[in-house]
Amino acid sequence: GKTRTMMERIGKLVIEHGVAPEQILGLTFTRNAAEEMRQRLIPVLGNQAARVTLSTIHSFCHYLLRSEGRIFEILSGRDQLVFIRNVMKELKVKNLSVGMIMREISLAKNNLISVEEFKTLFTEDKTMLKIADVYDLYDREKARKFLMDFDDLLVDTCRLLHDNPSIKSKYTDRYLHLLIDEYQDTNPVQVEILKT
């Protein structure tokens, strides 16, 4: 229902209100959903469907960062696990699972909590302070090696748009219509990007 409504709304914007397809940005959360949106838009807009930007929020952030000259590789999956495990070894962090540490770091980033804020939040919790140390070194090592994880795509895009009014206006001027599929599933960093 929601995806269909979104496609019909895009169709109305283009056909009935004369909005240029290039001025529409449709975001969703999975590649499959983005592809499904594209397929559903073809019968509505025909050849013009390809001119509408339909993407996952992570893919859009990846595109935006690359377009603005950021150079990086994505760190994900097994490589990310190994990377964090190596950071843990370097810091001699034991008795904590890699999965737990990854979840806590991801949760912090998705709530726009920096390493410093993380340490302040958990001054009395030794376990969380160990995780803060991993978070800190993990981020520094990634930056040194020009790596980003999926959460960094969001955080860095948010920072870039917030700190650079000219870059922000470039995208707000380009995309006059923003439609989000499954908006209720957005987290704080995603909401900040969308509000910007």
Side-chain angles (χ1 to χ4, degrees):
K2 281 180 278 205
T3 305
R4 184 170 155 237
T5 302
M6 192 167 146
M7 295 308 96
E8 286 175 3
R9 183 170 287 166
I10 290 171
K12 278 183 183 271
L13 285 168
V14 174
I15 296 162
E16 293 178 21
H17 299 282
V19 173
E22 293 82 3
Q23 294 179 324
I24 300 170
L25 173 59
L27 295 175
T28 188
F29 291 92
T30 67
R31 281 193 185 136
N32 288 345
E35 186 52 37
E36 182 187 340
M37 283 171 23
R38 179 152 319 284
Q39 293 309 313
R40 285 186 178 195
L41 196 56
I42 292 169
V44 178
L45 288 181
N47 293 339
Q48 293 186 88
R51 293 166 45 200
V52 175
T53 302
L54 297 172
S55 166
T56 66
I57 192 160
H58 287 90
S59 292
F60 180 73
C61 290
H62 186 272
Y63 158 78
L64 189 148
L65 291 169
R66 290 265 193 218
S67 297
E68 297 307 321
R70 296 292 300 274
I71 297 166
F72 60 90
E73 294 299 320
I74 295 292
L75 181 65
S76 65
R78 191 177 185 303
D79 292 337
Q80 186 180 15
L81 284 171
V82 170
F83 198 94
I84 288 186
R85 208 172 273 135
N86 289 338
V87 169
M88 290 169 68
K89 273 185 203 165
E90 190 171 330
L91 294 172
K92 295 176 176 53
V93 172
K94 297 175 182 161
N95 304 326
L96 294 176
S97 76
V98 177
M100 177 203 177
I101 289 174
M102 282 178 66
R103 278 189 303 279
E104 290 296 337
I105 292 171
S106 180
L107 187 61
K109 288 183 180 186
N110 282 301
N111 284 285
L112 291 168
I113 298 169
S114 67
V115 172
E116 295 74 25
E117 291 168 313
F118 194 92
K119 287 178 180 177
T120 303
L121 283 170
F122 297 107
T123 51
E124 303 298 317
D125 187 328
K126 287 181 182 170
T127 299
M128 295 305 272
L129 288 174
K130 281 184 190 175
I131 292 171
D133 291 339
V134 174
Y135 180 3
D136 186 24
L137 186 57
Y138 171 64
D139 271 6
R140 284 188 287 123
E141 285 297 301
K142 279 190 291 113
R144 196 173 65 79
K145 296 179 178 183
F146 298 97
L147 295 170
M148 281 193 197
D149 62 28
F150 287 118
D151 297 319
D152 295 328
L153 292 175
L154 301 173
V155 172
D156 283 29
T157 298
C158 188
R159 273 195 207 120
L160 184 68
L161 293 172
H162 186 266
D163 296 345
N164 298 278
S166 62
I167 292 174
K168 174 187 169 181
S169 65
K170 177 175 159 181
Y171 292 93
T172 54
D173 292 349
R174 179 174 172 188
Y175 297 111
L176 301 181
H177 300 274
L178 174 61
L179 294 94
I180 298 112
D181 191 30
E182 305 294 345
Y183 182 80
Q184 74 280 359
D185 294 335
T186 54
N187 62 37
V189 68
Q190 292 166 341
V191 169
E192 279 304 308
I193 291 167
L194 300 172
K195 278 182 3 188
T196 304

